[in-house]
Amino acid sequence: MPIFDQGYQHWQGPLTSHAWRWLAIARHGVRVQTQNRILRVLILLAWMPALALVVFVAIWGMVEQRNETVLPLAQMILPAEILRDPIAFRVTVWTLAYWYFFKVQMFCIMLLVVIAGPGLISRDLRFNALPLYLARPLTRFDYFIGKLGVIGALVAAVAVVPAIFAYVIGVGFSFDLSVVKDTYPLLLGSIAYGLIITLSTGTLMLAMSSMTRKSLYVGIAWAIFWLVSTSVASIMVEIRQQSGREINVDEDLKVWLAKNPPPPGVQMRGTHLLHFNSGTGKGMPEHFDADKEQEVAIWLRAWNEANQQAWMQAQLRGLE
């Protein structure tokens, strides 16, 4: 019967510096997560918007070069003003494309985190693996950074790396190095986006995962927090946009009222109509005659048209 010496054995492999010891935890975590079939399917689905971004920036590059194959299709989609001088709209088009891409990818990232994140620490707590980790030459900070690196790898895989790849493709199809000068903030912003999402989402998920040994509870808490915070954010954004529109409307109506003051019988509070006397209501002044009634009616029609026009202009400013 062979005998195996289980005593101390010298390590014969390469030694790395302490600064990279967290990478072993992150690499192992990514390898474990990629064995999850649902996670692999979600990553593949998350690459679909990235593929759409790559195709879009490539086509836009050919539009700038006035490629005869692409122009007929572009004429069916884009306004003639843009096609006359596409380079003038380059920054706007690239910015909108990346904005839509990251907006969709945020949803994908949240799904990936809710699948991969709950067990990052809670599973170690359930199986008492922390003493095994810390028995090695690892610090608590190394452990935290390693776990955070798992979420960072997922964010990079579905958002940062595809965004950088799409940028390279877009520059290549433009055949114009000036596109780098115009759009390099998008490249830097894509990298910063990945770092911010990793730090904010990752630290919150790791905090939740460290509170319990049950990964299911962490996933449910994360889903509730995500849904509630998303709903609240949408409401706050809508309130802010509505407030901005009302401010613009008030400014336009103040200018109109300065040129068209309300006639007698019309009561205003700021730019809002409070009350008007049609000439038949109770409390009508004795000197209020048919001519005054017609004057009020004409002014009210003009005020309604000005109000509608102000709201339309506010909507257009918001779209711009």
Side-chain angles (χ1 to χ4, degrees), residues 38 56 103 109 149 191 209 234 308:
I38 297 178
F56 178 83
K103 185 176 181 180
I109 290 171
I191 299 173
S209 182
S234 300
Q308 294 176 3

Side-chain angles (χ1 to χ4, degrees), residues 45-56 101 105 157-159 162-163 165-166:
L45 293 177
W47 283 343
M48 297 302 171
L51 180 61
L53 178 64
V54 171
V55 172
F56 178 83
F101 168 72
Q105 292 306 89
V158 301
F165 179 73

Side-chain angles (χ1 to χ4, degrees), residues 41-120:
V41 172
L42 280 178
I43 291 176
L44 291 176
L45 293 177
W47 283 343
M48 297 302 171
L51 180 61
L53 178 64
V54 171
V55 172
F56 178 83
V57 294
I59 292 177
W60 178 257
M62 290 188 286
V63 169
E64 289 187 359
Q65 299 301 317
R66 300 191 178 279
N67 186 282
E68 296 180 356
T69 305
V70 177
L71 279 180
L73 177 62
Q75 291 173 354
M76 299 171 58
I77 302 174
L78 298 176
E81 181 183 0
I82 295 179
L83 294 177
R84 281 196 297 268
D85 188 11
I87 296 180
F89 294 89
R90 173 189 290 165
V91 176
T92 302
V93 171
W94 276 64
T95 302
L96 286 175
Y98 270 79
W99 181 79
Y100 279 110
F101 168 72
F102 283 119
K103 185 176 181 180
V104 174
Q105 292 306 89
M106 175 60 75
F107 179 79
C108 299
I109 290 171
M110 294 299 103
L111 290 179
L112 292 174
V113 170
V114 79
I115 292 176
L120 288 177

Side-chain angles (χ1 to χ4, degrees), residues 127-176:
F127 295 108
N128 294 321
L130 283 177
L132 185 63
Y133 276 107
L134 300 179
R136 270 64 178 172
L138 292 171
T139 64
R140 295 180 180 180
F141 184 74
D142 296 330
Y143 176 81
F144 170 76
I145 294 297
K147 295 296 184 178
L148 189 64
V150 178
I151 296 178
L154 295 176
V155 174
V158 301
V160 179
V161 174
I164 295 175
F165 179 73
Y167 184 85
V168 174
I169 295 297
V171 172
F173 274 86
S174 295
F175 295 103
D176 185 3

Side-chain angles (χ1 to χ4, degrees), residues 200-220:
S200 59
T201 306
T203 51
L204 180 60
M205 172 54 75
L206 293 180
M208 290 183 175
S209 182
S210 64
M211 294 179 181
T212 179
R213 299 172 181 264
K214 297 291 185 179
S215 303
L216 179 61
Y217 299 158
V218 179
I220 294 174

Side-chain angles (χ1 to χ4, degrees), residues 1-6 9:
M1 180 177 181
I3 299 176
F4 181 72
D5 183 9
Q6 296 184 355
Q9 298 181 11

